[in-house]
Structure formats: C-alpha cells, structure tokens
Amino acid sequence: MSLTTPAARRDLAYHLHPSTNLRSVQTEGPLVITRGEGVYVYDEEGRRYLDGLAGLWCASLGFSERRLADAAHRQMIELPFYHSFAGKVPAVSTLLAEALIRIAPDGMSRALFANSGSEANDTAIKLAWYVNNALGRPQKKKIISRHRAYHGMTIAAASLTGLAFAQTDFDLPIARFLHTDCPYPYRGALPGESEEAYAARLAGNLEELILREGPDTIAAFFAEPVMGAGGVIVPPATYFDRVQPILAKHEILFVADEVICGFGRTGNMFGSQTFNLRPDIMTVAKALSAGYLPISASLVKGSVYDVLVAQSDKLGIFGHGYTYSSHPVPAAVALETLKIYEERDIVGMVKRVGPHLQKAIRSYADHPLIGDARGIGLIGAVELVRDKATKQSFDPKAGVGAFLIRRAQHHGTILRSMPGDIVAFSPPLIITEAEIDEMMRGFAQALEDTWAMVKERGIA
Ligand SMILES: Cc1ncc(COP(=O)(O)O)c(C=O)c1O
C-alpha cells in the first residue's frame, strides 16, 4: 500500500472506491496492482502476492490465461458488439447459451445474459414477479432470503443481501423482501443439537414465516449453496433436503445463487449438485468468464420459460434486457472458459486439491484465536474469536480480522476478512498443493502476528 506513487496519488485524487472504508484508504493508500501471473498478482513496486481469494472469488483460472485474452481479441476483431433485442443475436452468444445449458443441472432450459451477479439476481426477482402476474397471482410477490446472504449490491440484490453494511443508510431493504435464518451451525445450533435437528428447526422456522406471511404472498426463496461473503457458511446436513419440499408445497420458486459456487468451486460443476438442489432459476457470474470480463446469466427451468413465452406473447414483448445482455466479447471469453474447464477437468482438479486446502484450514482449529475452521472444495474460512469456549467475538471496532489481512498482505498473501472477523480462502481453481501450502504459510504468519497483537493490547 502506498500514498506516494503516481498511481496511488491519482487514485486518491480521482477514484471513489467501492466496498471500502473511504477514510482509511485516504490514510493508508491503495494497493495498486499492475499485473498477474498464475495465482499471483504484482503491485506497482514489483511485490508479489498469492491471491487467496481469486480476486473477488472469481479468477478461477488465475491471472494470466492467454487463451482467454486471445478469445477476446479474436471476437473484438470479428464482431465487437451486437445485441440480442428484438430477435437478433450474436452467433457466439448462442454457443454460450448451449454450452451453459448442457452443463447445468437437469431441467434448466434457457439462459438470459447480463453483466453482473447483481443483475442476474435482479433479473431472477423480476422473472418471479412477471411469472406470478402471468399466472394470475398478483399478490404472490414477496421474496425470502437468509440473514448473512450476499446476493449483490443493486437496489433489489442488496435488499436480498442479509448483511447490514449493504443496507444501512441506503434505505434498504425495499418492501416485500424478508429474511429467514442463516444456516450457520457454529453460531446457530443449540448446545448438543445435531446438524439434522438444527436443519429441521430452521426449515420449521422458514415454514412458519411462510405461513405467517401467507403462502399466496411469497414468490421466491433465494439461497447460495455455500454462503460466501456472509462468512463461507456451509449448510448443516439435510438443510436443503428439508427446505425444498416446503418451497414446492407452497409453490415458491427456488432461486439458487451460484455466483460463487458455480463452475467447480465446491467440487462439482455447481453447488446445486453438491447439495442436491433442484432450483427453478439459477444465477451464475464470476467464474463463468473466469472473472476476465463482466458477464452473468439467469438460467430458467422449462416450466418458467413456458410462462415467459406465453406472457410476452400476450403483452407483445418480454420487456427486460440490457444493452450488453449477450455481449459477444464476454460471451466469447466465457465460452473459452467453459472449454478450458472441460479440457482440464477443472472439477476433477478441485476434487483432488480441495481436501488439501480443507485439511490445512482445519489444522488451525486448535489455535486459541480460532473458533471455527470450515469449508468445502476450494472455499473455506476461519472465524477469529476472543474466547473459544464461549465463542465470544471481538469488538468489531478492534479490527482484528482487518489486522490479520494487512499482516497476510505484508507476508505476500491476499485474503479477505468479513463481518465477524471471518477470514476467507477461495483461491484460483488452478492452485497447486504447493501453492496452497504457500498461501497457508502467509496466513499462519499473519495469525501469529495477530495473536501477538491481541495479547499485547490485552483484548484476548
Ligand atoms: C453469491 C453472490 N451473488 C451475487 C453477487 C453479486 O455479484 P456482482 O458483484 O457481480 O454484482 C456476489 C458477489 O460477490 C456473490 O458472491
């Protein structure tokens, strides 16, 4: 981090950072990244960092996949822009739609493209409303998501999100958005309660909420298979098995947000396969293009698609879409990304390397600062606590997680701290076991620095 290099000075003078403490960045300076290679990125002074979060959970193929650059370049020359309104379509976008539906879980029948995970989720909300109007159920419009969910930052997606920082002072959530329990075994299960019993209790609470509000007022339920930015929360056994029949019983659409879990992260192509989900709508983004260009999609089941066709025929148009829906250049990059996943058997790679990461993360479970160590596939987290026995967290103002992240960066590893001093790991899917060891060494050094700091300040 620097305050004095030309790029840092320009940044501080002209750039408004998203998802950042705008005061701290002024005093500490930005970390200016200039290039990438494999799982590493480099700052402007040539320092190398292993990016343990694949950027923002997205750079699945690392930071130097030449084939994606070539695919973008070829597409830029051939057809740099076309749209898909009014029956037109760039040829490459048809190939991507086909490739996506071929690998999607059974039942998915069409892909509608957008530019970001937030837009894909906004689209899914609009589809749920449109479908219920088409079916003559104008009251069935409320949307349920979970506390600690992260579904994005646009007005509707941030209303789905169940984290205070996304809503406070933004006048969110807007009306008709409800939140139910976060399936969080470490903090939510009662003493002695089994995972199954905990899952049953949460499913019961969900059904109670539905009945209280009136099933005829609830349109959709949104869930990430593994919750990412809320703290890498892996659901307790049987959670989704118990939730899905309740949704089906009350004719509530199930939207699986696969923006992080999609494309191998959990050890299957989709998190829906890992947890046996049968969604009506699935949203994908991030690793769809390995993060190289903005693109997302909302995939819909055949039964949803049929309603959209009939209603658009009745109204004269399916009145939703963006200038850059189906943009050919990100589509070409995404298509090449999916080819690489298949050729290199990315899912097999995660299945082989994932256990190494999980074992490494869990090896810190006995550390006095670590209350919980969890994860699946190539995603995981540790939760820093003040008191292991009582699970008492640190005062958020103490900034313990943020301190650890700064120290990890000092030791050459980029990680991310989330509310509750939860430190996440979500490296590029191409990471090797040796690189995982290197990432964990950076983490271990930072953990020791943090332990020394909390003892010195007398807060642990
Ligand atoms: C699960 C999930 N859904 C949606 C989003 C929003 O995606 P975007 O930032 O591309 O709008 C994110 C972003 O991190 C996410 O993790």
Side-chain angles (χ1 to χ4, degrees):
M1 287 185 295
S2 166
L3 288 162
T4 53
T5 66
R9 283 214 302 271
R10 273 197 306 278
D11 182 67
L12 296 174
Y14 299 113
H15 186 204
L16 204 169
H17 281 245
S19 285
T20 298
N21 179 324
L22 298 178
R23 183 75 66 202
S24 314
V25 76
Q26 289 287 341
T27 51
E28 289 166 22
L31 175 67
V32 179
I33 300 295
T34 54
R35 68 186 186 91
E37 201 177 312
V39 296
Y40 300 99
V41 291
Y42 293 78
D43 71 15
E44 54 182 339
E45 283 153 314
R47 275 189 295 265
R48 188 176 88 155
Y49 305 89
L50 196 162
D51 195 323
L53 215 87
L56 287 174
W57 330 77
C58 57
S60 48
L61 295 175
F63 298 91
S64 54
E65 180 47 66
R66 188 56 206 243
R67 279 176 61 179
L68 300 186
D70 291 342
H73 183 247
R74 275 195 309 274
Q75 189 61 45
M76 278 283 203
I77 303 289
E78 202 169 298
L79 181 69
F81 177 77
Y82 217 73
H83 63 88
S84 51
F85 281 24
K88 299 173 183 66
V89 67
V92 66
S93 307
T94 68
L95 294 172
L96 179 61
E98 178 186 39
L100 254 179
I101 294 300
R102 287 225 164 124
I103 58 170
D106 274 356
M108 289 298 146
S109 101
R110 294 291 192 286
L112 171 55
F113 294 109
N115 309 290
S116 66
S118 301
E119 285 178 348
N121 284 328
D122 270 32
T123 297
I125 294 163
K126 286 181 72 180
L127 295 182
W129 289 341
Y130 192 82
V131 160
N132 279 341
N133 285 326
L135 296 175
R137 310 194 291 203
Q139 298 307 317
K140 203 167 166 62
K141 297 289 169 53
K142 292 178 197 162
I143 310 282
I144 301 179
S145 57
R146 283 105 42 94
H147 294 295
R148 297 190 82 99
Y150 189 92
H151 295 292
M153 287 296 197
T154 50
I155 288 173
S159 295
L160 284 175
T161 291
L163 294 160
F165 69 82
Q167 300 182 336
T168 306
D169 285 352
F170 289 111
D171 290 7
L172 297 174
I174 53 173
R176 305 197 292 194
F177 285 79
L178 309 169
H179 292 86
T180 189
D181 305 275
C182 167
Y184 191 2
Y186 175 60
R187 294 216 171 264
L190 301 171
E193 191 177 37
S194 71
E195 283 200 33
E196 283 82 357
Y198 175 48
R201 184 159 60 82
L202 296 197
N205 289 350
L206 172 64
E207 186 153 35
E208 246 175 53
L209 173 66
I210 293 167
L211 294 173
R212 201 164 57 240
E213 296 286 330
D216 55 342
T217 71
I218 313 286
F221 172 80
F222 276 69
E224 304 153 77
V226 174
M227 297 169 88
V232 184
I233 297 170
V234 183
T238 75
Y239 170 78
F240 282 113
D241 302 336
R242 293 170 193 271
V243 162
Q244 291 182 99
I246 296 170
L247 302 176
K249 180 162 93 187
H250 298 297
E251 296 185 49
I252 293 168
L253 292 171
F254 180 20
V255 184
D257 179 339
E258 293 266 8
V259 169
I260 285 181
C261 294
F263 311 103
R265 179 63 62 191
T266 65
N268 288 291
M269 190 50 93
F270 294 98
S272 289
Q273 290 148 343
T274 303
F275 296 98
N276 197 19
L277 310 187
R278 296 169 303 282
D280 301 291
I281 301 177
M282 232 175 83
T283 55
V284 293
K286 294 193 190 278
L288 169 57
S289 62
Y292 281 33
L293 282 178
I295 183 168
S296 65
S298 309
L299 312 186
V300 299
K301 243 172 51 174
S303 51
V304 173
Y305 178 66
D306 292 343
V307 179
L308 302 179
V309 173
Q311 187 69 356
S312 79
D313 194 28
K314 184 173 144 200
L315 298 178
I317 186 170
F318 170 59
H320 175 78
Y322 306 105
T323 300
Y324 301 130
S325 299
S326 327
H327 192 297
V329 182
V333 170
L335 186 63
E336 192 69 12
T337 302
L338 298 188
K339 278 189 196 148
I340 294 173
Y341 290 161
E342 191 184 347
E343 283 170 29
R344 298 195 193 149
D345 184 19
I346 201 81
V347 170
M349 278 165 64
V350 176
K351 279 195 160 84
R352 277 191 299 281
V353 175
H356 189 73
L357 175 68
Q358 297 306 328
K359 197 166 149 215
I361 291 173
R362 282 167 182 75
S363 73
Y364 293 93
D366 291 336
H367 190 281
L369 265 184
I370 292 186
D372 193 31
R374 54 183 180 254
I376 185 168
L378 274 179
I379 186 167
V382 293
E383 189 156 339
L384 307 178
V385 289
R386 183 164 185 204
D387 184 326
K388 257 172 113 86
T390 62
K391 304 184 183 176
Q392 186 197 359
S393 302
F394 288 99
D395 180 348
K397 289 201 201 80
V400 174
F403 179 88
L404 188 149
I405 298 310
R406 280 200 301 280
R407 294 309 299 164
Q409 194 168 298
H410 175 81
H411 296 300
T413 299
I414 292 180
L415 297 171
R416 167 126 172 237
S417 161
M418 298 173 297
D421 297 315
I422 299 168
V423 175
F425 305 89
S426 176
L429 303 181
I430 56 165
I431 197 166
T432 62
E433 292 195 0
E435 288 163 343
I436 288 175
D437 294 342
E438 185 187 332
M439 174 176 79
M440 295 313 290
R441 274 198 299 279
F443 164 73
Q445 287 172 300
L447 183 65
E448 286 321 308
D449 295 346
T450 308
W451 182 226
M453 180 277 283
V454 296
K455 280 192 298 191
E456 196 182 301
R457 284 171 53 186
I459 56 175

